[in-house]
Amino acid sequence: MSTKDFIEKDFYKVLGVPKDATEAEIKKAYRKLAREYHPDANKGNAKAEERFKEISEANDILGDPKKRKEYDEARALFGNGGFRPGPGAGGGNFNFDLGDLFGGGPQGGGGAPGGFGGGIGDVFGGLFNRGGPGTTRTQPRRGQDIDTEVTLTFTEAIEGATVPLRMSSQAPCKACSGTGDKNGTPRVCPTCVGTGQVARGSGGGFSLTDPCPDCKGRGLIAEHPCLDCKGSGRAKSSRTMQVRIPAGVTDSQRIRLRGKGAPGERGGPSGDLYVVVHVDPHPVFGRRDDNLTVTVPVTFTEAALGGEVKVPTLGGPSLTLKLPPGTPNGRTMRARGKGAFRKDGTRGDLLVTVEVSVPKDLSGEARDALEAYREATAGEDPRAELFEAAKGA
Ligand SMILES: [Zn+2]
Ligand SMILES: [Zn+2]
């Protein structure tokens, strides 16, 4: 028996009892009719057989107080001529149109058929639960992603840092509990019947929906707009949270911190936090991928004769670099494991570039020594090869 048949059949009429018949009266009427139309007493009478079936069916429903109640409520809701608006017996007002069937039910009055339980509730479940009141508004919603920026010192970027970030995001307005109405009693939006969505175009695709333009997708309209949020139900909320920036970030890098965005609604997950990192330059160290760079001045004699040169490291003790004799200006040497941290916790290298410094003022003794050096190297012309090469090609 289909749902429609179920409602259209008047079981009271079948048993010939009034709508307010007592259980005993129904029982009595059924027994009398059952005896009269029993197949054993009406062999070969198809009409009697059909009538007997109807009587049994009616008794199945009306003879069971629970089923009878559900049947009565369904009839009161839908009338006895199929689906049509009827006075709400126990479940609010239903106006069946495509919006209800394919979208969501009405907002107010507990849109779901409240009086239904068990049998009929199950029968109608498939129909009603398709939309349900305010489906779009009662589902968990993921929190917004938030974009923010932070400026780190050079050392913080290398080593990682926990920094306080002040973030603002949209949250339900506190003054009106997110309803947008200063009395807290917003009206269901008539345009979208509270679903917050309207079908897009008329191409027949019911799955294509747009946010309702009249209520901005909220499903509700504020009659007396909340002064704090001007009826939007949303408010900016600021909070400061401690955020861990991982070691090794570089300038202008955008990092994603999963779940650190705006909190979700109705149990939805939090959004993500995206942080664009700005890194202040360091007066001494530079950065090249995972490597740190530093330029170290050396004297002419250190470069020429070789020697041990102390080199600073970032956040650690200085190290001693062995300069081989005859080190040219601008040579870069590598100190392993003294660079920036990588994701796996290992470190890049420190690239040390030597820069031969030329003394501006020379004391008498040093000047004499250099003059003597000039004498000793008078026969050398460092530019001989240059001029030779310039002639060719
Ligand atoms: Zn709307
Ligand atoms: Zn408000």
Side-chain angles (χ1 to χ4, degrees):
M1 180 168 50
S2 76
T3 301
K4 196 157 173 277
D5 289 340
F6 186 88
I7 293 174
E8 277 180 349
K9 282 192 175 159
D10 188 343
F11 295 137
Y12 291 99
K13 207 171 168 187
V14 170
L15 293 185
V17 294
K19 299 248 189 297
D20 59 355
T22 64
E23 271 186 67
E25 285 169 334
I26 287 168
K27 206 175 209 171
K28 196 179 157 199
Y30 166 67
R31 281 190 177 154
K32 182 172 169 283
L33 290 167
R35 266 198 302 275
E36 194 179 334
Y37 292 100
H38 198 279
D40 289 350
N42 299 275
K43 286 236 157 61
N45 185 340
K47 264 198 169 171
E49 195 182 325
E50 189 58 39
R51 184 95 172 90
F52 183 75
K53 269 190 197 163
E54 277 183 347
I55 293 158
S56 304
E57 199 177 48
N59 182 61
D60 279 347
I61 301 298
L62 300 188
D64 180 330
K66 195 171 158 241
K67 285 184 188 168
R68 183 184 174 189
K69 185 167 174 280
E70 292 165 350
Y71 170 72
D72 287 346
E73 285 171 346
R75 293 266 296 178
L77 273 178
F78 302 112
N80 54 9
F83 299 131
R84 71 171 194 204
N93 301 312
F94 290 85
N95 291 296
F96 278 88
D97 56 24
L98 285 179
D100 284 324
L101 289 173
F102 293 95
Q107 284 291 319
F116 288 1
I120 292 186
D122 294 341
V123 171
F124 288 104
L127 180 64
F128 288 121
N129 293 339
R130 198 183 299 198
T135 303
T136 51
R137 298 199 314 117
T138 52
Q139 277 170 356
R141 193 191 290 174
R142 185 178 174 276
Q144 286 177 306
D145 291 340
I146 297 178
D147 281 287
T148 188
E149 299 177 69
V150 68
T151 299
L152 302 180
T153 67
F154 189 86
T155 305
E156 284 173 334
I158 298 295
E159 298 178 345
T162 301
V163 293
L165 280 183
R166 190 174 161 79
M167 289 175 297
S168 47
S169 61
Q170 294 287 309
C173 171
K174 281 200 179 78
C176 61
S177 308
T179 62
D181 190 287
K182 72 178 168 193
N183 303 328
T185 52
R187 200 158 52 93
V188 171
C189 171
T191 308
C192 60
V193 211
T195 63
Q197 300 192 335
V198 291
R200 181 190 299 173
S202 53
F206 286 103
S207 56
L208 289 176
T209 58
D210 283 326
C212 174
D214 290 347
C215 63
K216 308 284 184 289
R218 296 179 57 241
L220 300 171
I221 284 179
E223 209 102 49
H224 311 283
C226 165
L227 297 175
D228 282 27
C229 64
K230 296 177 180 59
S232 71
R234 311 284 289 170
K236 257 206 153 80
S237 88
S238 290
R239 64 202 164 113
T240 301
M241 61 188 283
Q242 300 293 320
V243 172
R244 179 71 193 168
I245 306 292
V249 292
T250 53
D251 189 41
S252 302
Q253 190 176 336
R254 189 170 183 253
I255 60 172
R256 176 193 189 187
L257 298 167
R258 210 180 283 267
K260 298 287 188 185
E265 289 176 40
R266 294 177 292 276
S270 293
D272 296 333
L273 174 64
Y274 290 91
V275 185
V276 174
V277 180
H278 302 290
V279 181
D280 283 338
H282 193 279
V284 169
F285 296 97
R287 179 91 178 263
R288 200 181 299 156
D289 301 323
D290 299 331
N291 301 320
L292 292 180
T293 61
V294 64
T295 298
V296 179
V298 296
T299 64
F300 171 73
T301 47
E302 281 171 336
L305 305 175
E308 293 191 339
V309 176
K310 272 198 166 183
V311 176
T313 64
L314 186 73
S318 59
L319 54 88
T320 301
L321 196 69
K322 266 197 180 354
L323 220 57
T327 298
N329 181 50
R331 168 163 289 181
T332 297
M333 278 160 288
R334 188 179 291 264
R336 298 209 178 272
K338 303 292 184 188
F341 286 93
R342 299 192 185 96
K343 268 185 185 170
D344 61 2
T346 62
R347 298 180 70 172
D349 304 331
L350 177 62
L351 305 178
V352 184
T353 301
V354 297
E355 186 182 69
V356 175
S357 62
V358 177
K360 286 194 178 81
D361 293 304
L362 282 172
S363 63
E365 209 174 318
R367 173 175 279 274
D368 291 346
L370 266 185
E371 294 282 4
Y373 174 77
R374 179 158 63 182
E375 291 298 316
T377 59
E380 293 173 21
D381 182 1
R383 289 168 292 277
E385 273 184 38
L386 177 74
F387 278 92
E388 203 57 40
K391 266 186 259 171

